[in-house]
Amino acid sequence: MIQDDLADALRAALTRLGVDAPDVIHLERPARREHGDWSSNVAMATAKKAGRNPRELASEIAKAITDDLPRHVEVVEVAGPGFVNFRLHDSWLQDALRDVVEQGEARYARSNAGDGLKVNVEFVSTNPTGPVHAGGGRWAAYGDSLARILERNGYTPHREFYLNDRGVQMQLFGQSLAARKEGRPVPDDGYQGEYVAEFAAEMPDDADPLEWGYARVKQDVAETMDRIGVHFDTWFSERSMVESGAIEATLDDLRAHGVVYEADGAVWLRTTDFGDDKDRVLVKSDGEPTYVLPDIAYHRDKFNRGYRLLIDVWGADHHGYMQRLKIGVQALGHDPDELEIILGQFVTLVRGGEEVKLSKRSGNVVTLSEVLDEVGPDAARLTFLLQSIDTKQVFDIDLVRSQAVENPVYYVQYAHARIASIERVAAERGVSRRPLAHVDLSLLTHDRELDVLRSLAELPDVVRLACVERAPHKVTTWVRELAGRFHGFYHDCYVMGTDVPPELTQARLWLVEAARVGLAIGLDLLGVSAPESM
């Protein structure tokens, strides 16, 4: 890749100047195109240790590289306090096109950075007391897309759903279901949603409300997840830990590590030894464990199953609980960094310009299944992935279901449909792509063509950064940019026609194929289909 060539040139220049080069030389694209195609801060990063002035060192680096310009490099310049900027010939973009089409969907923008590391990604994980509400779709889309991105970067991800299938909320759900079945008022602290009445109408008269309701909710959640394209490798039951003795075994492990003590009839975890403001109760004086102990036991189980990195996707309302769980993991002897907790902000659902409440306990619940009925899984997923998970989101159903350029989902998928339409027209006219080696890609000089190629060249970095930062929305931003640039190309650059020379048609057909590969990769990482017609 061009970044490797530029990094090698910078490293060689530093060596000639008698300056130790860092192990990693960073290159990035300047925010403004007039500053060049690539930029490095290596002069500023090495100047202090070398006892040099950063800008003067940058000037010497630029001169050393200019004396023996690498392939594709047109000009090397110095900017600001010591940035080394590269301006490249368009030929580097032609090479980028070759990379895309030669590596294809299977290999382009794929790396082995993860080296097969087993990662457990736990997400959604609602209490099994009712359908997934509309906002839960954000967790589903995010967790699944993150797993896809991890896999493309060489990790081995495992998707997991944790079922909190014991405790007070389950009891209240069972009581609410029984009350509806018998025509009695639902308990004040029970579940008022209309779905409870619908479930109760289905429930056999002789069924155990708690067990039947639990199974019915699991079925509903699984069907909804399937509709949005999310398939979990494991549905993990909290009950199973009780039955297997895992909770008691975890307490024994904590005792063995010397981080547990008894006081006031309760069992405590010495979380203050790890920076917490106070110790936390693991087992109450009545012998019932608090929610802390089963959660520690659950994560202990994940490690015991061979996962070396645990990623939990939680709602922002769990912020205060993060430290306690990480301390619990550390108390068992694990590196707390082996547990990542990602907090997602909640979704405001809007229909007809008015906010719709999403509480499962109230009667106003809007389920994810209902949203999928209205907008479809593709539109729902891409919309949920438009923004960073840590920002609040407004999901406007009317906009998402519209077929207008203002709708980013329609805009992106329409770009892929346009690509397919070009391929169909070419087939109808008997125009086929020649082998790439026989096509003159230097004919691709129009700004619209080069913009598409620049986007395609950026995809490997985007996928890598989306993985490192756990940020699928970066892929969404990229596919929107590529779609916009392809629409501009489609409008200004005819691929076929009497006014288009045959050689240019061939070059543009390969550009169209490269755009197809790029969009297909990006949409697949988001879990969104790439339609051939709309």
Side-chain angles (χ1 to χ4, degrees):
M1 294 178 65
I2 186 65
Q3 301 99 301
D4 297 330
D5 293 341
L6 299 180
D8 289 344
L10 289 164
R11 188 173 288 107
L14 286 168
T15 300
R16 288 199 296 273
L17 295 170
V19 177
D20 292 335
D23 293 335
V24 178
I25 293 179
H26 295 285
L27 285 146
E28 60 183 23
R29 293 177 178 82
R32 298 169 62 180
R33 283 284 304 282
E34 58 265 30
H35 291 165
D37 294 289
W38 290 93
S39 178
S40 176
N41 67 346
V42 70
M44 293 181 286
T46 57
K48 184 175 181 179
K49 183 177 179 181
R52 307 288 293 274
N53 175 280
R55 185 171 175 88
E56 290 177 1
L57 179 58
S59 297
E60 293 181 37
I61 292 171
K63 183 179 184 307
I65 296 176
T66 300
D67 289 343
D68 184 19
L69 283 175
R71 183 167 177 258
H72 300 311
V73 176
E74 181 178 7
V75 177
V76 187
E77 301 170 326
V78 177
F83 290 99
V84 179
N85 291 351
F86 296 88
R87 296 183 187 277
L88 306 181
H89 294 290
D90 293 343
S91 56
W92 83 278
L93 294 172
Q94 297 154 19
D95 272 6
L97 188 156
R98 292 186 183 92
D99 286 342
V100 175
V101 297
E102 288 173 358
Q103 295 177 35
E105 293 177 48
R107 293 188 296 121
Y108 188 64
R110 185 181 291 277
S111 80
N112 192 38
D115 196 26
L117 187 75
K118 292 181 64 177
V119 185
N120 185 293
V121 185
E122 183 220 322
F123 55 106
V124 185
S125 296
T126 57
N127 288 336
T129 54
V132 178
H133 65 57
R138 190 179 199 188
W139 274 250
Y142 175 86
D144 184 63
S145 182
L146 177 59
R148 291 165 183 256
I149 291 167
L150 287 165
E151 190 277 331
R152 199 159 190 98
N153 281 275
Y155 294 84
T156 304
H158 182 95
R159 297 163 177 82
E160 186 150 314
F161 190 111
Y162 180 60
L163 292 157
N164 300 89
D165 52 7
R166 60 182 291 272
V168 174
Q169 295 307 317
M170 288 296 296
Q171 297 296 328
L172 287 172
F173 174 59
Q175 293 168 15
S176 302
L177 198 59
R180 285 282 197 171
K181 183 68 175 179
E182 297 167 9
R184 295 183 287 104
V186 171
D188 291 340
D189 51 357
Y191 287 80
Q192 307 292 333
E194 186 59 31
Y195 71 90
V196 179
E198 295 173 2
F199 285 0
E202 298 177 23
M203 185 172 65
D205 293 339
D206 59 349
D208 179 329
L210 178 59
E211 295 305 321
W212 185 92
Y214 174 37
R216 180 64 179 83
V217 169
K218 280 179 61 179
Q219 174 190 335
D220 187 87
V221 172
E223 290 174 351
T224 302
M225 291 296 101
D226 184 67
R227 288 186 64 194
I228 201 172
V230 176
H231 304 283
F232 289 96
D233 301 298
T234 298
W235 296 76
F236 191 95
S237 162
E238 183 177 343
R239 290 183 185 180
S240 69
M241 292 192 298
V242 176
E243 295 163 359
S244 69
I247 294 178
E248 290 82 358
T250 300
L251 187 56
D252 289 341
D253 276 1
L254 292 170
R255 290 186 195 278
H257 282 85
V259 293
V260 167
Y261 66 95
E262 296 185 14
D264 303 322
V267 180
W268 299 72
L269 179 64
R270 296 183 188 278
T271 53
T272 50
D273 289 355
F274 302 91
D276 201 359
D277 58 346
K278 61 181 180 180
D279 292 340
R280 305 291 173 174
V281 177
L282 294 176
V283 182
K284 295 181 290 186
S285 58
D286 62 2
E288 185 70 19
T290 65
Y291 52 83
V292 179
L293 182 55
D295 283 350
I296 296 174
Y298 173 44
H299 287 77
R300 172 182 174 272
D301 182 271
K302 291 183 187 181
F303 284 120
N304 287 346
R305 282 185 272 148
Y307 298 107
R308 300 276 64 85
L309 175 63
L310 313 182
I311 299 177
D312 294 353
V313 184
W314 292 356
D317 56 340
H318 289 81
H319 181 272
Y321 187 55
M322 288 175 57
Q323 184 188 19
R324 282 171 241 173
L325 185 54
K326 288 179 78 73
I327 286 174
V329 165
Q330 188 176 3
L332 286 171
H334 293 282
D335 184 338
D337 290 338
E338 292 177 352
L339 169 61
E340 295 181 20
I341 299 174
I342 296 170
L343 297 180
Q345 292 289 336
F346 294 102
V347 176
T348 298
L349 188 70
V350 173
R351 181 193 282 123
E354 296 184 357
E355 179 181 348
V356 181
K357 298 297 183 183
L358 299 178
S359 171
K360 198 190 311 184
R361 296 283 292 275
S362 74
N364 299 324
V365 63
V366 175
T367 67
L368 175 58
S369 182
E370 290 176 282
V371 172
L372 297 179
D373 288 341
E374 293 201 46
V375 306
D378 284 341
R381 281 191 68 133
L382 198 145
T383 301
F384 284 127
L385 294 169
L386 285 174
Q387 301 166 229
S388 173
I389 191 74
D390 61 1
T391 62
K392 293 181 179 179
Q393 183 175 44
V394 175
F395 191 109
D396 188 330
I397 288 180
D398 297 329
L399 174 61
V400 175
R401 68 189 300 183
S402 68
Q403 292 193 347
V405 294
E406 294 81 12
N407 179 353
V409 185
Y410 178 79
Y411 193 66
V412 168
Q413 289 190 314
Y414 189 42
H416 192 274
R418 276 183 157 171
I419 290 171
S421 73
I422 292 171
E423 294 173 342
R424 286 195 297 271
V425 170
E428 291 167 1
R429 296 182 183 182
V431 179
S432 58
R433 288 194 307 268
R434 298 175 196 160
L436 184 60
H438 300 156
V439 174
D440 184 3
L441 298 180
S442 69
L443 298 174
L444 300 174
T445 58
H446 194 286
D447 284 346
R448 296 293 197 184
E449 297 166 332
L450 299 178
D451 280 345
V452 171
L453 293 178
R454 285 190 180 91
S455 283
L456 291 169
E458 292 171 4
L459 181 56
D461 281 344
V462 170
V463 175
R464 176 190 60 80
L465 196 59
C467 180
V468 170
E469 298 184 3
R470 314 297 191 232
H473 74 279
K474 291 185 179 295
V475 178
T476 313
T477 299
W478 181 85
V479 297
R480 294 179 68 186
E481 178 187 85
L482 177 61
R485 290 181 171 184
F486 186 83
H487 287 308
F489 162 78
Y490 183 89
H491 183 269
D492 292 350
C493 303
Y494 287 2
V495 175
M496 294 163 284
T498 55
D499 295 333
V500 184
E503 290 299 323
L504 182 56
T505 288
Q506 286 297 317
R508 286 179 172 171
L509 282 173
W510 276 110
L511 182 148
V512 170
E513 170 62 7
R516 184 199 66 77
V517 170
L519 269 180
I521 292 171
L523 290 173
D524 179 70
L525 290 174
L526 300 174
V528 176
S529 69
E532 296 194 355
S533 62
M534 293 184 72

